[in-house]
Amino acid sequence: MKLVFVYNAEAGLVHGFMDSIHKIVSPSTYACDLCAITYGLTAMNPKWRTWLSELDVPTEFFHRTDFRKAWPDARIALPAILLEGGHSLTPVIDADSFADIKDVDRLISVLEDRLAKVKHDHPAL
């Protein structure tokens, strides 16, 4: 079992800079709620970084293009947080669910609840 985080953004310094500008100029039209919640203008939210470092589940992070290359058959709206089990992906938080998650505290809470349910339903994981 692995937790897969997929940003609805492109990788790289230029894209990161443009994303930061977009967050300032027009935050309501910024396409990646996961980025907006977990990153400030230049760095990862410290609370999020700490939570990830203490997580007992392996993680993998993708930007949009890299995810599409790694999982070409996945028809998943982005951003998304997924559970990878073998050769399948199961949404933990889908793109639409981010509308109700406005900050890192809420994101962590939702993830902890959903991961606890997965672990309860599948104790071997």
Side-chain angles (χ1 to χ4, degrees), residues 95-114:
D96 292 336
S97 297
F98 280 101
D100 296 325
I101 302 171
K102 298 298 182 192
D103 60 47
V104 75
D105 291 320
R106 179 73 179 133
L107 177 59
I108 290 169
S109 175
V110 169
L111 279 170
E112 286 178 345
D113 288 348
R114 294 186 183 175

Side-chain angles (χ1 to χ4, degrees), residues 13-120:
L13 288 175
V14 172
H15 290 290
F17 176 75
M18 296 304 292
D19 286 347
S20 292
I21 299 286
H22 195 159
K23 288 179 195 178
I24 293 168
V25 174
S26 185
S28 65
T29 63
Y30 185 61
C32 186
D33 292 323
L34 179 57
C35 298
I37 292 167
T38 60
Y39 277 83
L41 294 179
T42 60
M44 185 182 283
N45 179 305
K47 190 171 201 171
W48 179 244
R49 181 181 305 281
T50 299
W51 185 81
L52 287 171
S53 72
E54 296 170 352
L55 192 60
D56 64 349
V57 176
T59 58
E60 187 168 10
F61 294 83
F62 289 98
H63 287 88
R64 180 176 46 236
T65 301
D66 298 328
F67 175 73
R68 298 290 185 219
K69 286 178 186 174
W71 294 89
D73 295 330
R75 301 292 176 241
I76 297 169
L78 303 178
I81 301 174
L82 312 163
L83 195 60
E84 178 187 342
H87 298 288
S88 66
L89 296 170
T90 303
V92 176
I93 299 178
D94 63 22
D96 292 336
S97 297
F98 280 101
D100 296 325
I101 302 171
K102 298 298 182 192
D103 60 47
V104 75
D105 291 320
R106 179 73 179 133
L107 177 59
I108 290 169
S109 175
V110 169
L111 279 170
E112 286 178 345
D113 288 348
R114 294 186 183 175
L115 287 173
K117 181 176 180 352
V118 167
K119 288 178 182 179
H120 178 268

